[in-house]
Amino acid sequence: MSIGNQLPELNDTVELSAAEREGYLRDGHAIIRQLARPDEIAAYREVIGEVVREHNYHTKPLEERDTYGKAFIQIGNVWELSEAARRFVFARRFAKAAADLMGVPAVRIYHDQALFKEPGGGHTPWHQDQIYWPLDTDKTITLWMPLVPVPEEVGSMTFVSGSHKNGYISKQEISDESHRTLKAYIEQKGLPQINYGAMAAGDATFHAGWTLHSAPGNPTSLMREVMTVIYIADGLTIAEPDSGARRSDLARWFPELSPGDAAASRLNPILYP
């Protein structure tokens, strides 16, 4: 439990089963229940929520925003904004799980994102995360952990099993267009979709950078508070950006680095081991 200004340590590790590791490599996604305990989440929810409230950039009501703006409040690299939040984002327990699922010995952080879906918030369109990342690799993974219970009607994200093996499917950024295009792609190929349903605070899904996924809207009266951390295998090289989105990500998340450099800026420390 947190005591005074102290926060729970998250530097112990958990052992994943062979089925969890094999399932991730096969499907491109996995769920690990109770990766964080209720007392741990309760302590960190407060500090992360404070960062989100302070840095929320939305000034328009939901109905006046575009599809992306309706999807969530998105705050990147909360670890740079709060020393307390940094302890959560840099958790060795989470980083080891990411490394084990990818089957790599060491991982760095790429960046984190708080994704808070407001009451009445819209859906998150179909997309691939890695269209934004200037990396040519399959060794990327995102942890998605709710800080509050997520009911069945909101649920986890929906993943397309095996889609990570198809690599770069579309360069479309998250939008109504990406949703239409990728929905048609999924339906035409008859690809299997998985949603893990209700999640407890501290449960975590992991998905590969190329895994197609979407999320439903939030029909409830409660904020869907989620924290995400993106990990990359240590030893990767920055690729030549082939889009404006990737050029922007290169400048933001790999500051002062160029294509051909090791993907290891001051913002990308090794989190495990």
Side-chain angles (χ1 to χ4, degrees):
M1 296 289 289
S2 60
I3 301 173
N5 292 325
Q6 296 181 349
L7 288 165
E9 295 290 343
L10 299 169
N11 291 325
D12 59 334
T13 59
V14 297
E15 292 301 320
L16 305 187
S17 69
E20 288 170 327
R21 297 192 303 271
E22 292 165 3
Y24 173 80
L25 294 176
R26 178 188 66 242
D27 298 330
H29 57 83
I31 190 165
I32 301 175
R33 300 287 183 180
Q34 291 301 279
L35 187 58
R37 299 190 309 270
D39 62 300
E40 295 169 334
I41 287 295
Y44 284 103
R45 178 196 175 199
E46 184 176 345
V47 299
I48 293 169
E50 183 178 344
V51 174
V52 172
R53 288 187 292 273
E54 181 180 353
H55 295 274
N56 180 10
Y57 54 87
H58 285 305
T59 57
K60 295 181 179 178
L62 270 172
E63 60 271 16
E64 294 181 17
R65 302 179 204 163
D66 62 13
T67 297
Y68 194 97
K70 290 175 182 176
F72 35 59
I73 301 168
Q74 179 181 32
I75 309 298
N77 264 23
V78 299
W79 74 263
E80 289 188 279
L81 305 172
S82 162
E83 174 62 24
R86 187 189 70 81
R87 293 177 61 177
F88 181 89
V89 173
F90 282 23
R92 188 169 182 267
R93 185 191 306 166
F94 305 161
K96 181 181 183 296
D100 287 352
L101 289 172
M102 287 195 292
V104 300
V107 293
R108 295 178 178 271
I109 185 173
Y110 181 35
H111 61 274
D112 71 54
Q113 293 178 330
L115 299 176
F116 281 32
K117 193 179 288 284
E118 297 157 279
H123 74 122
T124 305
W126 286 110
H127 66 283
Q128 293 177 294
D129 294 338
Q130 204 162 319
I131 68 157
Y132 292 92
W133 307 341
L135 297 164
D136 184 14
T137 178
D138 62 354
K139 299 303 183 186
T140 64
I141 191 170
T142 297
L143 170 150
W144 191 95
M145 179 180 286
L147 307 177
V148 295
V150 176
E152 185 75 31
E153 59 266 40
V154 178
S156 74
M157 291 180 289
T158 299
F159 302 103
V160 178
S161 295
S163 57
H164 63 305
K165 297 176 182 177
N166 297 336
Y168 216 144
I169 295 171
S170 170
K171 292 184 179 181
Q172 293 173 332
E173 298 179 34
I174 300 174
S175 61
D176 293 332
E177 185 180 2
S178 78
H179 192 73
R180 286 191 297 269
T181 301
L182 293 172
K183 185 174 184 288
Y185 172 87
I186 294 163
E187 292 173 350
Q188 288 167 5
K189 292 188 173 295
L191 301 177
Q193 301 177 34
I194 296 293
N195 185 298
Y196 292 109
M199 294 177 67
D203 289 348
T205 62
F206 287 83
H207 64 276
W210 289 126
T211 299
L212 282 167
H213 60 287
S214 67
N218 180 6
T220 75
S221 61
L222 302 174
M223 182 80 79
R224 189 212 71 182
E225 303 173 25
V226 167
M227 191 63 202
T228 69
V229 184
I230 303 161
Y231 305 90
I232 61 176
D234 182 34
L236 300 183
T237 299
I238 296 173
E240 184 70 45
D242 56 359
S243 66
R246 286 186 160 187
R247 283 188 289 274
S248 177
D249 260 35
L250 172 57
R252 174 64 180 96
W253 309 119
F254 294 126
E256 303 168 7
L257 299 185
S258 303
D261 290 341
S265 81
R266 57 184 170 78
L267 297 184
N268 318 114
I270 291 178
L271 300 188
Y272 178 82

